[in-house]
Amino acid sequence: MPEDLHDFFNDDVWDDGTGADHPGPGGGAAPPPKPPRSRRDMRRRRRQQRRKRLIVVIASIVVVALCAGVGVFAVGKIKQWRRSTLADTAVVDDYPGPGEGRVAFTVESGQGVAEIAEGLQRADVIKSVDAFTSVVASNAYTLYPGTYELKRHMKASAAAKILSDEGNAKGFVEVRQGERLDDVLKAAAESSGIALKDFEDYAGDASKTGAILPACAKGKLEGWLEPGVYNVGEDPTPASILQQMVQARIEKLNALGVPEGDQSERILIVASIVEAEVNSQDYYGKVSRVIENRLKDDMPLGMDSTVAYGFKIKGTELTNEQLNDGSNPFNTRVNKGLPPTPISNPGDDAIEAAMHPEDGDWLYFVTTDLKTGETKFTSSYDEFEKYVQEYKTNNEHAN
């Protein structure tokens, strides 16, 4: 009610559109005001006014949105024009190809496209950075690390195509954790282009390897190659490549707090066995404890992984004759104690387990399920026999 009364007596309700102060015809007194509108008329008028205001607000929003859209469209067109202009310029600043001579160019891990392009330009492989980056962007190329054989004065598209094919990359060699020395040498020979025999001759000569290895390794590289990716370089040699791996291993052992001297060699031997025996780091600490318990009780380690290493085969390829061959110095079924050297290049987790075995009295373990890798540990020989039967049953079902 108060609102209606306020509206009722508002000046607007008396306004007839001519104005109360305006004189009437002939300059005489103004006619009396018309009687007030009904409350229904007043409410209808207020609704009309609100609709008008709403329409004005909506129209304003639409105008602002249209202006913003036009701005975004214009910016997009400008950027497109700039890209088009750069592409056109790149074509002008490109060599016609196919190029001449030979250039060994290395793409380092982590380098960006612009950085690679700048290196190519400095090497006089391409004429301009823009030409190369434009080709890479328009074709969505991925550039891979490695050393490539290119030419001077190449067309940018030709150079980009070579660098985007991982099969053309050379000059990087990877050492995987748990990988044997023989496999590392093969990968290094393939990546460097050096004959495998040159690597084997170098690795087998203790007078040469002794120059890069700690004295406790006794000239044997196995176990002393740190897992990782290494740059072969422009003028590689077996010594230069393997020295990188050995140096990285020494630095890692120091970082992990591995004692120096004979203890470091012993830890690498144990770690290599640990990693070879089970396929889950969850069991590394327990396997390490089994090894220590057996050594303490003067028992043979009985590890098939060491026997297989001595014959340079996989554990699944062992025969009963080989398992009983004591002439194999790595046969820990027959010969007590640790094998002469590590049997692989173990990773950090296995090394940690070798330094810090879990607490327990286990003497035996069996991987009962080859699919899941489930491994069971015990100090009882009778229980060990049960686990062996479980392994055989699961293996028969698997086949």
Side-chain angles (χ1 to χ4, degrees):
M1 180 65 69
E3 182 181 352
D4 292 340
L5 286 174
H6 175 76
D7 292 336
F8 186 83
F9 288 103
N10 189 288
D11 289 345
D12 291 344
V13 303
W14 298 91
D15 185 7
D16 64 354
T18 63
D21 295 333
H22 293 182
K34 293 181 179 181
R37 297 186 182 94
S38 68
R39 296 176 182 176
R40 180 179 301 172
D41 290 339
M42 289 189 298
R43 286 193 294 270
R44 182 169 59 250
R45 182 176 178 179
R46 287 199 302 272
R47 287 196 296 270
Q48 290 173 346
Q49 289 173 341
R50 285 196 295 269
R51 280 197 296 271
K52 289 179 180 179
R53 285 195 294 269
L54 181 62
I55 290 171
V56 171
V57 171
I58 293 173
S60 299
I61 293 173
V62 170
V63 170
V64 171
L66 287 173
C67 291
V70 170
V72 171
F73 177 77
V75 171
K77 284 297 184 181
I78 291 172
K79 288 183 177 180
Q80 184 178 1
W81 173 81
R82 289 183 64 190
R83 286 195 297 267
S84 176
T85 302
L86 285 174
D88 291 342
T89 303
V91 170
V92 174
D93 292 336
D94 200 0
Y95 287 125
E100 58 191 19
R102 295 175 59 186
V103 176
F105 183 79
T106 298
V107 176
E108 304 286 353
S109 296
Q111 281 189 314
V113 175
E115 189 177 1
I116 294 170
E118 290 168 359
L120 290 168
Q121 187 180 42
R122 285 194 300 270
D124 203 20
V125 173
I126 61 172
K127 190 171 185 179
S128 73
V129 170
D130 287 341
F132 184 83
T133 55
S134 177
V135 169
V136 172
S138 61
N139 291 280
Y141 281 151
T142 297
L143 306 182
Y144 297 96
T147 299
Y148 298 81
E149 184 176 320
L150 302 175
K151 298 179 179 181
R152 290 188 299 276
H153 302 171
M154 291 184 71
K155 192 173 181 62
S157 58
K161 189 173 183 180
I162 291 175
L163 299 186
S164 65
D165 186 346
E166 196 171 11
N168 294 326
K170 292 184 178 181
F172 279 81
V173 58
E174 181 180 8
V175 179
R176 299 180 178 87
Q177 64 180 46
E179 193 173 36
R180 294 177 180 176
L181 172 64
D182 288 347
D183 295 322
V184 176
L185 297 183
K186 290 176 183 176
E190 183 176 347
S191 297
S192 65
I194 300 172
L196 176 58
K197 187 177 184 305
D198 291 345
F199 278 97
E200 292 173 338
D201 289 344
Y202 178 85
D205 189 340
S207 66
K208 294 180 180 178
T209 57
I212 64 173
L213 285 166
C216 61
K218 298 179 176 62
K220 303 295 183 182
L221 286 166
E222 191 72 88
W224 286 93
L225 307 181
E226 175 67 18
V229 178
Y230 300 89
N231 188 349
V232 168
E234 294 186 6
D235 298 307
T237 64
S240 67
I241 295 171
L242 296 172
Q243 185 173 16
Q244 292 183 64
M245 302 172 184
V246 172
Q247 185 59 38
R249 171 63 95 191
I250 293 172
E251 292 173 0
K252 177 56 70 66
L253 295 182
N254 290 336
L256 294 175
V258 177
E260 296 181 0
D262 292 342
Q263 272 297 306
S264 58
E265 176 75 359
R266 183 185 190 280
I267 287 171
L268 287 175
I269 292 174
V270 173
S272 68
I273 298 173
V274 164
E275 196 160 63
E277 284 291 329
V278 285
N279 62 1
S280 172
Q281 65 186 55
D282 293 338
Y283 300 122
Y284 285 179
K286 289 184 176 182
V287 175
S288 180
R289 176 54 64 189
V290 169
I291 293 172
E292 296 298 341
N293 286 344
R294 287 193 159 218
L295 291 172
K296 181 180 177 182
D297 290 351
D298 197 31
M299 296 174 60
L301 294 184
M303 304 292 177
D304 289 354
S305 59
T306 65
V307 183
Y309 177 84
F311 286 112
K312 296 186 177 182
I313 60 176
K314 297 178 180 179
T316 54
E317 300 172 344
L318 284 170
T319 65
N320 287 330
E321 182 180 357
Q322 289 171 327
L323 290 172
N324 294 313
D325 185 355
S327 65
N328 176 0
F330 289 86
N331 189 338
T332 55
R333 279 181 171 241
V334 178
N335 305 307
K336 292 181 180 180
L338 293 171
T341 72
I343 61 173
S344 71
N345 295 285
D348 294 356
D349 292 326
I351 293 173
E352 290 280 7
M355 286 196 296
H356 308 292
E358 288 190 27
D359 293 331
D361 60 354
W362 311 292
L363 290 171
Y364 311 95
F365 66 91
V366 179
T367 299
T368 56
D369 192 327
L370 296 178
K371 289 183 178 180
T372 64
E374 181 181 9
T375 302
K376 296 183 177 181
F377 296 77
T378 181
S379 59
S380 166
Y381 186 80
D382 290 339
E383 196 167 27
F384 165 70
E385 287 290 332
K386 291 180 182 178
Y387 293 159
V388 171
Q389 291 303 316
E390 184 178 346
Y391 157 78
K392 291 180 179 179
T393 300
N394 289 337
N395 194 44
E396 288 172 358
H397 291 168
N399 292 333

